[in-house]
Amino acid sequence: MRPFAPQDRVLVSPRHLAGAGFDRLADAISPLIHLFGWPSEHDRASGRISVHSPDGSLFVNFNSRHTHGHWWSVAHHEPYWEARFTRQTPIEAIAAVTQALPQLLGDDRHIDRIPLTTTPLAQIAGLNHWHREDDTLTSPDGHCHLQHTPAEDTP
């Protein structure tokens, strides 16, 4: 077996063990910018990317230099909530969240291209054999965690 070159594509299963994937970073933010016209800022020196909704209520930030490994954050102001994703989170999962944001704000222009499910998260997790303990869902292999950590200042 020959060693893989850095540009070689390989299949990794389960998918989340492959990490976030740099070459598809745009999957999470391009629809917001190009389909919905959300303003964006890119600091080339730091690599930080920020996209915000036209009304200023939702922000999506990417920062690969975050000290705690939370490369992505999605925050809403009223009511305040925040979702954070580590550097290992598959880009498909982040894109699923970011692409749903315009509909959360009532913008359904591309609802045919970005359908949302009405199935509760607990039901989806159960159908895929995830385990629930308190406020944490864990994948069947134990490598991936989805944690809800409500607090007074950050629901």
Side-chain angles (χ1 to χ4, degrees):
M1 185 172 143
R2 71 170 178 82
F4 293 108
Q7 71 277 8
D8 286 349
R9 292 193 177 261
V10 297
L11 297 176
V12 177
S13 182
R15 167 62 184 95
H16 62 268
L17 293 178
F22 283 108
D23 62 337
R24 299 199 6 231
L25 177 72
D27 287 354
I29 56 175
S30 286
L32 297 175
I33 297 167
H34 300 293
L35 288 177
F36 296 97
W38 287 26
S40 64
E41 299 172 13
H42 181 199
D43 181 349
R44 295 195 187 285
S46 70
R48 185 174 178 275
I49 300 170
S50 179
V51 181
H52 57 277
S53 63
D55 69 357
S57 66
L58 263 167
F59 294 86
V60 177
N61 291 298
F62 171 80
N63 181 0
S64 63
R65 296 183 183 170
H66 191 280
T67 55
H68 298 293
H70 293 125
W71 284 15
W72 289 88
S73 68
V74 178
H76 189 273
H77 286 288
E78 193 60 46
Y80 184 74
W81 57 262
E82 183 178 20
R84 288 178 279 183
F85 304 92
T86 65
R87 63 183 179 83
Q88 293 97 352
T89 305
I91 200 70
E92 296 91 342
I94 299 166
V97 172
T98 60
Q99 291 176 17
L101 296 175
Q103 289 182 48
L104 176 71
L105 296 177
D107 186 344
D108 60 0
R109 285 180 287 167
H110 301 285
I111 199 165
D112 58 322
R113 294 172 71 179
I114 307 171
L116 299 181
T117 183
T118 57
T119 306
L121 179 60
Q123 186 177 351
I124 294 170
L127 290 170
N128 290 283
H129 310 290
W130 283 53
H131 308 285
R132 182 177 190 162
E133 187 172 322
D134 298 323
D135 290 329
T136 302
L137 293 170
T138 304
S139 64
D141 64 6
H143 289 285
C144 193
H145 304 277
L146 177 64
Q147 188 173 29
H148 180 233
T149 55
E152 286 184 25
D153 57 342
T154 308

